[in-house]
Amino acid sequence: MSHVYTSVVSTWGGILVVVLASVVGDIFLARAMKQVGDVHALWGRAGLWTVVARVLSNSNFFLGVTAMAVAFFSLLFALSWGDVSLVAPAAASLTFIGNAFAAKIFLHEKVDRRRWIAAVLVAAGVGLLAG
Amino acid sequence: MLSHGMKQTGNVSLHHLQSVILAVANPWVAMGILLLLAFFASYMNSLSWADLTYVLPATSLGYVLLALVAKFALHEQVSPLRWLGIALISGGVGFVAGGPALTSHSHHDAAREPEPARAAVSAGAER
């Protein structure tokens, strides 16, 4: 009984860590690219290497990539703790919901009703497809 | 989508080669890594001119393409529940695509919007 309880807690704990890390990663990457500015325009104006240099010199970019790496490896751990058919779709679809909240709070994006509906629909769809 | 690609390339490398160093020399793994980089580059490009809550639903079309590739190229069975998933994702992307791409800045040219999203999706689908 207690063994089952422990495995449920560790599985959902793992899913939570994956979701948190990938949401944090997405937020930092989005913030980094907003600071870099429109890549298409910058490329046309200053060339590809300026774009690359500006992305690589952005500290938010490295925080984002680090968080993404944490998300990837914690996904591997979570997959070893729980069933693939639960962990993969739960982590993928909860990330969409978490990102909508985080983008509203931290990036001050205007998440209107249209985007909430999209986030929920996509999360449900990904949950069904990834399962 | 990224993890899916990694899992596929990982499986391929396990079947053909034992060591991790040799695995990179495997053309499938190398192609997987290249396509992952291409996905990441187009994802970053999209984020530079559109909101995160706009880009993410668009990249989820990769799941739909993956299911369609599995159905028509690999001849796998796609269950009714998965078709429902495809319909939900497509509906969600349709919803977000109808709205503005970027918050608070001046409106971007609508004709430009689908291009990087499609690049990102195709990079994901080929894996």
Side-chain angles (χ1 to χ4, degrees):
Chain A
M1 191 67 187
S2 71
H3 176 72
V4 173
Y5 179 74
T6 314
S7 101
V8 168
V9 168
S10 64
T11 302
W12 281 99
I15 291 171
L16 192 71
V17 172
V18 174
V19 170
L20 276 179
S22 60
V23 167
V24 167
D26 270 324
I27 293 297
F28 275 118
L29 286 180
R31 183 169 282 176
M33 292 317 288
K34 288 296 175 300
Q35 287 169 349
V36 168
D38 190 324
V39 165
H40 186 76
L42 188 63
W43 190 337
R45 209 170 54 235
L48 173 61
W49 292 115
T50 311
V51 177
V52 173
R54 208 181 275 193
V55 171
L56 291 183
S57 64
N58 190 302
S59 53
N60 282 329
F61 174 76
F62 282 98
L63 289 172
V65 170
T66 307
M68 285 295 187
V70 170
F72 178 73
F73 287 108
S74 50
L75 179 68
L76 295 186
F77 277 108
L79 284 174
S80 73
W81 291 332
D83 291 333
V84 183
S85 58
L86 170 68
V87 172
S93 73
L94 286 177
T95 301
F96 282 98
I97 305 289
N99 264 315
F101 279 107
K104 188 179 173 65
I105 297 167
F106 298 110
L107 299 177
H108 308 295
E109 289 186 7
K110 190 169 156 287
V111 186
D112 53 8
R113 194 192 294 165
R114 186 188 280 276
R115 289 191 177 182
W116 279 118
I117 294 172
V120 170
L121 285 180
V122 167
V126 168
L128 288 177
L129 267 190
Chain B
M1 194 154 57
L2 286 169
S3 69
H4 216 103
M6 289 303 284
K7 247 178 271 166
Q8 280 182 350
T9 55
N11 281 342
V12 169
S13 74
L14 277 179
H15 279 298
H16 291 284
L17 300 158
Q18 268 99 25
S19 94
V20 180
I21 302 161
L22 279 176
V24 181
N26 182 317
W28 285 103
V29 176
M31 207 161 79
I33 293 173
L34 272 181
L35 286 170
L36 277 178
L37 284 175
F39 164 79
F40 195 66
S42 20
Y43 181 62
M44 300 297 282
N45 179 30
S46 313
L47 280 178
S48 80
W49 56 264
D51 282 344
L52 182 61
T53 41
Y54 186 87
V55 175
L56 270 178
T59 59
S60 70
L61 278 179
Y63 287 100
V64 174
L65 273 167
L66 203 67
L68 294 180
V69 166
K71 162 93 179 146
F72 293 107
L74 307 176
H75 305 290
E76 287 177 10
Q77 279 290 345
V78 177
S79 68
L81 216 56
R82 294 200 163 190
W83 283 118
L84 179 64
I86 290 176
L88 285 176
I89 292 179
S90 309
V93 174
F95 250 104
V96 82
L102 193 64
T103 307
S104 76
H105 297 274
S106 60
H107 280 273
H108 277 245
D109 183 9
R112 269 188 51 218
E113 284 169 15
E115 182 209 315
R118 212 178 290 149
V121 165
S122 64
E126 284 173 50
R127 274 178 273 134

